[in-house]
Amino acid sequence: MSDPSFTPESRRAAFRALHTEGCFVLPNPWDIGSARYLHSLGFKALASTSSGVAWSLGRADGQLSLDDTLAHLHDLAAATPLPVNADFGDGFGTDATSIDAAVTRAIATGVAGISIEDASADPDQPLRSIDDAVTRLRAARTAIDRSAADVMLIGRAENFFVGRPDLDDTITRLRAYASAGADCLYAPGITTRGQIEAVVVAVAPKPVNLLVGTALPFTLQDIAAMGVRRVSVGGAMARTAWGGLMRAARQIHDEGRFDGFADAASGAALNQLFR
């Protein structure tokens, strides 16, 4: 990123402006190359994916340390002029003080948004209590406000993502996160028109992020008509890339065939893009 006009401040202002009307897509690159390709297509913002970067490093989602995550966010923020929303797990802390410190370090990477989720990683109790989740959001809000950086805070209710598809509890959580200072609300895993519209109405006028990680029967125009402000794809693009690699490799190994290369990207086109 060579243009000095693309400062963290200008990108953060542009990112916030995107949330005021209409509906935009912020796709999720998993490395510098995928970020630059998505920028070349004309997307206006990007979001990191904890799963995508973890897989690229041969790890499972959730296994990256705070330092690993910060290094990745720094690379993404520096890769293009676009604002980047950080997938920041549960805040990387055990209490408000440590979450405040982690979020302060995340802000320093140059990101324009930070998402904090309420999943617990405990299979018996996969969701944190609302009180615990609110404490985490408030700690992140405090860090952002103290920094005076115009970084957006996104509150995530993970009910549908962790196998607890309770729409009423999801909405209760999102409203609590909005009251705790979240600028944008996110319930990954909701997929029906009724669920999406209920969430949009419940947290209005704050913007809603919709995850489209699988093929849904809606176009972007349909999603915009439901009142959604932004759409992300999580690890879906990384999974798509992995799917192509796995199919081609298995065909070579199992059948001795190389047909899987038929849809491969052009090396010349990639070199031109990155040159």
Side-chain angles (χ1 to χ4, degrees), residues 97-250:
T97 300
S98 55
I99 292 167
D100 181 312
V103 171
T104 297
R105 295 179 66 189
I107 293 168
T109 67
V111 296
I114 296 176
S115 297
I116 305 290
E117 64 189 45
D118 59 7
S120 69
D122 178 353
D124 296 323
Q125 296 289 336
L127 289 171
R128 296 182 181 277
S129 70
I130 293 180
D131 288 345
D132 184 7
V134 164
T135 295
R136 291 169 176 275
L137 264 295
R138 285 179 175 160
R141 182 77 263 166
T142 297
I144 292 170
D145 291 346
R146 188 180 59 252
S147 73
D150 188 25
V151 173
M152 293 191 67
L153 178 61
I154 293 81
R156 292 177 47 149
E158 303 290 303
N159 300 63
F160 284 75
F161 229 36
V162 300
R164 298 291 190 273
D166 183 331
L167 184 60
D168 289 338
D169 185 60
T170 298
I171 289 172
T172 296
R173 287 171 176 271
L174 293 177
R175 284 174 168 164
Y177 304 159
S179 296
D183 299 299
C184 178
L185 290 310
Y186 184 10
I190 60 173
T191 57
T192 70
R193 181 181 295 274
Q195 292 165 350
I196 296 165
E197 291 180 342
V199 166
V200 169
V201 169
V203 303
K206 293 200 173 182
V208 168
N209 184 105
L210 178 68
L211 173 69
V212 181
T214 58
L216 292 183
F218 306 124
T219 65
L220 183 60
Q221 184 177 10
D222 295 331
I223 293 168
M226 296 180 210
V228 171
R229 281 282 179 262
R230 65 184 226 183
V231 176
S232 57
V233 299
M237 286 186 170
R239 289 188 289 106
T240 300
W242 274 100
L245 181 149
M246 294 165 76
R247 285 189 296 274
R250 284 174 176 164

Side-chain angles (χ1 to χ4, degrees), residues 34-141:
S34 55
R36 289 181 176 166
Y37 175 68
L38 293 168
H39 172 230
S40 76
L41 293 180
F43 287 103
K44 296 180 180 180
L46 304 173
S48 69
T49 161
S50 63
S51 58
V53 65
W55 299 329
S56 74
L57 297 172
R59 304 183 200 176
D61 189 15
Q63 290 188 337
L64 294 193
S65 68
L66 172 59
D67 286 343
D68 289 336
T69 300
L70 292 171
H72 175 61
L73 293 176
H74 180 274
D75 287 346
L76 280 189
T80 80
L82 300 181
V84 173
N85 191 99
D87 182 352
F88 207 59
D90 65 359
F92 288 94
T94 56
D95 55 25
T97 300
S98 55
I99 292 167
D100 181 312
V103 171
T104 297
R105 295 179 66 189
I107 293 168
T109 67
V111 296
I114 296 176
S115 297
I116 305 290
E117 64 189 45
D118 59 7
S120 69
D122 178 353
D124 296 323
Q125 296 289 336
L127 289 171
R128 296 182 181 277
S129 70
I130 293 180
D131 288 345
D132 184 7
V134 164
T135 295
R136 291 169 176 275
L137 264 295
R138 285 179 175 160
R141 182 77 263 166

Side-chain angles (χ1 to χ4, degrees), residues 239-261:
R239 289 188 289 106
T240 300
W242 274 100
L245 181 149
M246 294 165 76
R247 285 189 296 274
R250 284 174 176 164
Q251 187 181 58
I252 294 169
H253 180 271
D254 296 344
E255 305 173 33
R257 297 170 60 86
F258 301 88
D259 301 347
F261 296 156

